[in-house]
Amino acid sequence: MPSGTTVLSFCLAALVVLVVPGPSVAYVVACSLRHGRAAGLASVLGLELGALVHVVAAAAGLGAVLASSPDLFRLIRYVGAAYLLVMGVRELRPPNDSAPKHRAVPRSRLRMIRDGILVDLLNPKTVLFFLAFLPQFVRPAEGSGPTQILVLGACFVLLAVACDATYATIAGTLAPRINQSPQARRRIKQTTGGVYLTLAGLAVLT
C-alpha cells in the first residue's frame, strides 16, 4: 500500500491536473448546458468509468504492452478516432425539424455514458497521466506496484468525480436560462462537436 505521504502528494498533483479545463471538462459542460444537470452527471459517470478502465489497464501493465506494440496501439487509436469523428459530425449536423421533439430519456442517458467513456479513453491528457505521471508515485519499498496503482488510481477517480460533477452541476443550473436562446443552443452544439473532432485529431496525432 502507498504511504499516507505518497497518497497526499499524488492527490495534490492530481487535483492540479483535474481543475485545469481540458476536453473532458468541455464535454461535461457542453452536455450539461445542452441537456441539463442529469445528463451532465450521466456524462461524468461515463468519464469516470473510462478513467477506471485506465486504472485497471495501468495496474495490469497493459499500457506497457500497447507502448511496445505500435501497430496495435495505432489500430486502437484509428478506430477510436473514426468513432469520435462520426460523433463530431453528428453534433455539427443541422437539426432535423421533422424529428420528434422528445426522445427516450433512458436511451439518451446511456448514450451519454457511452460517449463519456470513449471521450475519457481517448483523451490524450488522461492517457499521458496514467502512462507517464501516475507511475512516478509508485514506490517499490511500499509494496506491490499494481496495488499501489489501483489505490492511487481510485483516489484520482474520486477526485475526478468531485471536480467533474461540480462543473456539471454549475452548468446544469445555468442550462434552463441559456437554452432559451437558439443562438446559445447552436453554440453549445458546435462546442460539443468541436470537442469530439479535436479528440479525434489528437487521437490520430498522439
Side-chain angles (χ1 to χ4, degrees):
M1 292 288 288
S3 67
T5 303
T6 300
V7 172
L8 180 60
S9 300
F10 173 80
C11 287
L12 291 175
L15 196 57
V16 172
V17 173
L18 288 168
V19 296
V20 177
S24 295
V25 170
Y27 171 72
V28 167
V29 171
C31 284
S32 302
L33 289 175
R34 186 178 170 199
H35 301 289
R37 185 185 307 165
L41 293 174
S43 69
V44 171
L45 175 59
L47 290 174
E48 310 326 333
L49 288 174
L52 283 175
V53 173
H54 279 296
V55 171
V56 173
L62 294 181
V65 172
L66 289 177
S68 64
S69 179
D71 290 337
L72 177 59
F73 188 52
R74 192 177 299 114
L75 175 63
I76 293 173
R77 286 191 293 116
Y78 288 161
V79 171
Y83 184 64
L84 287 169
L85 180 63
V86 170
M87 291 197 296
V89 171
R90 182 187 67 194
E91 291 295 329
L92 296 176
R93 199 169 47 196
N96 182 4
D97 295 332
S98 64
K101 297 292 182 181
H102 301 286
R103 296 185 179 183
V105 173
R107 182 179 179 183
S108 65
R109 296 291 182 270
L110 288 175
R111 185 173 64 189
M112 288 175 188
I113 292 172
R114 180 200 65 193
D115 291 351
I117 292 172
L118 189 61
V119 165
D120 197 79
L121 288 177
L122 293 175
N123 183 354
K125 179 180 173 183
T126 308
V127 172
L128 290 174
F129 180 89
F130 283 101
L131 288 183
F133 188 74
L134 186 150
Q136 297 181 35
F137 290 85
V138 175
R139 308 283 186 260
E142 294 178 0
S144 166
T147 300
Q148 293 184 60
I149 290 175
L150 288 174
V151 172
L152 296 175
C155 293
F156 175 85
V157 172
L158 290 175
L159 290 172
V161 168
C163 291
D164 292 340
T166 299
Y167 279 113
T169 301
I170 294 173
T173 303
L174 298 174
R177 185 180 306 173
I178 292 176
N179 282 328
Q180 292 176 358
S181 166
Q183 247 184 355
R185 288 199 303 270
R186 185 168 59 253
R187 287 174 182 169
I188 293 168
K189 190 173 174 66
Q190 290 171 346
T191 299
T192 307
V195 170
Y196 287 140
L197 295 180
T198 299
L199 284 171
L202 291 173
V204 171
L205 297 174
T206 300

